[in-house]
Structure formats: structure tokens, C-alpha cells
Amino acid sequence: MKKIFSDPSSWIGLLLVAAAMILGSCQKDEYSPVSATKQLRGILIAINSEMEQESNLLDNKEFVAGISAFGNESQAILPCQTKRVKGKTYLFIEADMPDIKNMKFSNDRKQGTATTEITLKVNKEKVGLKCYFQYKDDSKPPMITGSKTSITLESITLNKKTVKRNGKTVIGGNLVFPLQMDDKGKLH
């Protein structure tokens, strides 16, 4: 035992192993979602077949079983469920809240914006939904945990298609995003 620790190269090796263990135990920056008392981040996704005009693919349980959503901001699977609203079936997902580190605040911190992304997998097709959020703080003075803060999902973009929040695109506070599936299984 004395011989092992008397050799300087043994100490260097021991220090390298200890440093590797310490660095390996360090985690990446943890996800810190922005805090707001009012959150509007729900998404109702309609998926229809281009082949059949009135075909709502979400009425097929086998089709729905092949759907998953991943929050790129939180690095977590997002729960998906079907909801029937006004006689139509939608896929309901709550978008990731933006990470506080990714928020772009105004100088007075009363307003802010951020973008998150959801990777939606429908059977073999994967698409990225970009979610644009707006933050507002009406408390005095502005505080991140103030009682009059809100964050709202204002728009969703897939490729060049964008749906913005307005009276026609919202049901029950949730932003409605329609998708079409073509005969090759691609989403548009």
C-alpha cells in the first residue's frame, strides 16, 4: 500500500479518477419553467385524413395508440389524451412551459416571450411543433411570482403553417391546431 501512494503517477491517476467522478455526477442545467398564476398552454390537435374529407383519424383507437409527444424544453414525455368537444375528437396536449433561462423579458420585466418545441410522433411520422408564448406581469412592482402574472400560448407553427390565437382558433382556452395526414402518412 505504501508503494502505491509513494509513486507520483499513482496520485495523478487517483486525482483523474476523482475528477472524472465529480464531473460525471454534475447534471446539466435543470429545467426551470417560468412561473405564472394564469397559464394558457393547452393544445387541441385535430388530425384528419386528406383522402376522406370527413374522416377524423382520432376516432380510431389503434391510430391514437401510435401517438406520442415529447417536450423538448422539459426533455419529458408529454401526456396525450383524446377529448371530445362539440362532437369532434381532438388530441389534447399541454405544451411545455418555457424555461426561465430562455425567456426574453422587457427591461421592466412586465412582458416576455419565449418559444418551446414539441416533437409529435404519429405512428412513423415525426413533426416539430413550435410553440410561441407571451408572458405578462400586471402586479406592482413586477415580480416573477406575482399574483397577476400570465403566460399564454399565442401561436403554433409547423413548417410554414402557423395558427395564431384568436376567437376562431380557441376552444375552452385551448389553441386548436388542425393537421391533415396524406396517403403516405405525412402530416401537414
Side-chain angles (χ1 to χ4, degrees), residues 163-179:
V163 172
K164 294 181 180 182
R165 180 175 289 275
N166 65 46
K168 295 178 183 177
T169 61
V170 175
I171 297 175
N174 303 304
L175 191 55
V176 178
F177 194 75
L179 291 173

Side-chain angles (χ1 to χ4, degrees), residues 1 9 19 34 39 41 46 50 56 68 76-77 81 86-87 98 107-108 125 127 130 133 138 151 153 167 178:
M1 183 81 124
S9 63
V34 69
Q39 300 176 7
R41 60 188 177 123
E50 283 184 341
N56 184 344
S68 63
I77 301 292
Q81 61 182 342
K86 297 181 183 176
N107 288 339
D108 63 0
E125 175 79 355
V127 295
K130 290 189 185 347
F133 285 90
D138 290 330
I151 190 155
L153 176 60

Side-chain angles (χ1 to χ4, degrees), residues 27-178:
Q27 294 181 351
K28 292 183 182 179
D29 289 338
E30 288 190 29
Y31 171 57
S32 300
V34 69
S35 177
T37 53
K38 182 179 179 184
Q39 300 176 7
L40 293 173
R41 60 188 177 123
I43 305 169
L44 292 172
I45 299 174
I47 304 176
N48 294 310
S49 171
E50 283 184 341
M51 302 292 289
E52 303 169 36
Q53 292 292 342
E54 297 298 316
S55 177
N56 184 344
L57 296 171
L58 295 171
D59 289 329
N60 180 328
K61 289 182 183 179
E62 288 179 32
F63 179 82
V64 171
I67 298 175
S68 63
F70 183 78
N72 295 1
E73 195 85 354
S74 66
Q75 292 293 295
I77 301 292
L78 301 176
C80 299
Q81 61 182 342
T82 56
K83 284 191 174 186
R84 196 133 177 96
V85 181
K86 297 181 183 176
K88 185 168 183 171
T89 306
Y90 294 92
L91 180 70
F92 177 75
I93 302 171
E94 282 193 338
D96 271 347
M97 291 290 283
D99 193 309
I100 191 74
K101 295 179 291 292
N102 298 330
M103 290 293 298
K104 293 178 181 110
F105 288 104
S106 61
N107 288 339
D108 63 0
R109 296 189 68 85
K110 282 188 154 288
Q111 296 182 17
T113 59
T115 303
T116 65
E117 189 168 339
I118 296 171
T119 301
L120 182 66
K121 186 177 176 193
V122 179
N123 298 314
K124 295 178 183 176
E125 175 79 355
K126 278 187 184 181
V127 295
L129 303 176
K130 290 189 185 347
C131 302
Y132 176 77
F133 285 90
Q134 283 190 330
Y135 171 86
K136 191 173 182 183
D137 186 345
D138 290 330
S139 60
K140 296 187 187 336
M143 298 183 295
I144 296 292
T145 57
S147 62
K148 293 184 179 179
T149 56
S150 65
I151 190 155
T152 304
L153 176 60
E154 290 293 332
S155 68
I156 302 171
T157 301
L158 171 64
N159 300 326
K160 295 179 182 180
K161 175 184 180 176
T162 299
V163 172
K164 294 181 180 182
R165 180 175 289 275
N166 65 46
K168 295 178 183 177
T169 61
V170 175
I171 297 175
N174 303 304
L175 191 55
V176 178
F177 194 75

